[in-house]
Amino acid sequence: EQAEKKPASPFGGGGFTFGKGTGGGFGAFGGGAGFGGFGSSAKTQGEAKPDGAAQAVGGSAEPKAEAVAIGSEKAQASAKFQEKEVVTGEESERSVFESTGALYEFSENAWREKGKGSVTLNLNEETNRARLVMRQKGSKRLVLNANLWPGMAITRMKGSNGVTFAAVNHLGGEGKGDEKGDGGEGGTAGGKASSFALRLPKTEKIERFQDLLEKHKKQDQEA
């Protein structure tokens, strides 16, 4: 039997980087000049079109009213789609820390990667409670939605620019977190706590991130 592939550990010495794809644009072809007629005749020959309309070689046919109307409708539909507001649940929060990172969860006796993307530490403007939010790069899918709580142990990772912590990952309620905001003993209210490891880029000062977590995890107790 083929041995199961061992998942990568977040405790590696090397960091990770988020590359930016650089797509090359296609060069546009230059417009061609109209074809000159053969022989001495100055009369141009009509070219047959699928709709039965004739167009002189090198000339341009005026667009049909029907085609213009369809194009206008598509443009209006596209504008409405772009104007649609996306609700994330973070509208009533302010971010005190933003970065990128890689998230791991300890499951079945191994660290397993959950996703890579943007990481924010948010504070609710009304309750001042804090939570960690992480969204997958590209798709913006919610990967981590964990409330901070007073008894939360935050430990610096050895050999890596990151921290480990225990928290309940509230993925069922997109962007809402724990509605009660009650971490309780062990922070397990509303779900089962798991151990997580969050790695940040080497350029990010992990001490500052850890200090912010320690500071704002106490807000739940003071609220």
Side-chain angles (χ1 to χ4, degrees), residues 79-116:
K80 289 181 180 180
F81 178 78
Q82 293 176 359
E83 292 173 359
K84 185 178 180 180
E85 183 179 358
V86 178
V87 179
T88 64
E90 301 177 51
E91 289 75 18
S92 61
E93 299 175 333
R94 62 184 178 92
S95 297
V96 295
F97 179 85
E98 296 182 8
S99 184
T100 54
L103 181 69
Y104 299 81
E105 182 178 5
F106 193 77
S107 175
E108 299 179 357
N109 299 320
W111 288 100
R112 304 182 185 277
E113 184 177 305
K114 303 298 290 183
K116 294 179 180 179

Side-chain angles (χ1 to χ4, degrees), residues 63-77:
K64 284 188 172 183
E66 181 181 354
V68 173
I70 294 176
S72 177
E73 291 177 0
K74 288 183 177 180
Q76 292 177 1

